[in-house]
Amino acid sequence: MNQAYSLLTIKSIDEEKGMIYGIATTPATDRVDDIVEPHGAKFTLPVPFLWQHNDQKPVGNVVQAEVKADGIHVGIQMVLADQVQSAELKERLLLAWDSIKTGLVRGLSIRLRGLKVADIQNSWGLHFFEWEWLELSAVTIPANQEATITGVKSLYAAQVSKSNNDPENKSVQQPESGLQHTIPKSVQPPKVGGVELIKAPKFKTTGVKFV
């Protein structure tokens, strides 16, 4: 399993229904070299919406999702605190609702599983061409991760602009110029704890890459 992060820009809130509508930026993983194609997302609604990536703390569901050039447009149905009896659950729902609505928690973490993934040559990065969207969480993101997300968003916007201006290229999913990709002929099942030997630079005798 992998995790990718986005920043949520809230467009509107329906207080009565507990709906939050917003745009999630282009997903970025923990590693700067990785590329996640938004249009490669495969999912079935509703997608579980969790609080701080805790499987035991659901707070709603993603009931609308549409991938566009500026990010993933989402509609999140929160469970309202006045709909439950449990004091513990009521406290969690109030905390999540207030934190997201006020912008104190504006990070989104996407748990994903790679379906069509390729190594990016001359880097440690992976290119996720297709991926399964398993769940979404509201998370507090450190400043360094937020900077990475912002950088990925800017890079993707530049790619889209370049692609749109090229009459011979109508796809917004083209990889960054200068990065060579090898698309696997078949999708291999995820490997756990594997080590792949790679060709090392001249000044080293060997190298390893964790996959």
Side-chain angles (χ1 to χ4, degrees), residues 10-22:
I10 295 177
K11 306 302 292 184
S12 64
I13 293 177
D14 188 327
E15 297 265 3
E16 184 177 346
K17 296 181 179 180
M19 285 291 299
I20 296 177
Y21 301 93

Side-chain angles (χ1 to χ4, degrees), residues 148-199:
T148 299
I149 295 171
T150 303
V152 170
K153 178 182 178 183
S154 299
L155 174 62
Y156 185 76
Q159 292 177 10
V160 171
S161 176
K162 180 179 178 181
S163 177
N164 290 339
N165 292 330
D166 187 348
E168 296 182 356
N169 183 9
K170 299 299 183 181
S171 173
V172 298
Q173 299 186 49
Q174 295 300 315
E176 179 187 5
S177 176
L179 293 180
Q180 299 179 355
H181 302 73
T182 302
I183 303 177
K185 294 182 179 179
S186 61
V187 179
Q188 299 297 324
K191 293 182 286 186
V192 179
V195 177
E196 176 185 352
L197 294 179
I198 64 173
K199 185 177 181 181

Side-chain angles (χ1 to χ4, degrees), residues 2 20 23-25 60 70 95 111 123:
N2 295 88
I20 296 177
I23 302 175
T25 58
D70 58 346
L95 176 62
R111 186 171 297 172
S123 81

Side-chain angles (χ1 to χ4, degrees), residues 42-114:
K42 308 296 181 183
F43 56 91
T44 301
L45 296 175
V47 173
F49 186 57
L50 310 180
W51 178 244
Q52 300 292 348
H53 248 315
N54 190 326
D55 293 338
Q56 304 302 314
K57 294 184 177 181
V59 292
N61 289 289
V62 179
V63 295
Q64 299 176 17
E66 182 179 3
V67 179
K68 296 185 178 181
D70 58 346
I72 304 176
H73 292 235
V74 294
I76 302 171
Q77 175 67 71
M78 302 281 289
V79 177
L80 298 177
D82 59 9
Q83 297 175 337
V84 303
Q85 299 297 321
S86 166
E88 181 180 355
L89 179 55
K90 188 183 295 288
E91 181 180 359
R92 181 206 314 163
L93 295 173
L94 281 172
L95 176 62
W97 176 259
D98 288 344
S99 298
I100 296 172
K101 185 177 66 173
T102 59
L104 290 175
V105 173
R106 60 187 297 262
L108 294 177
S109 180
I110 299 172
R111 186 171 297 172
L112 59 90
R113 181 174 68 90

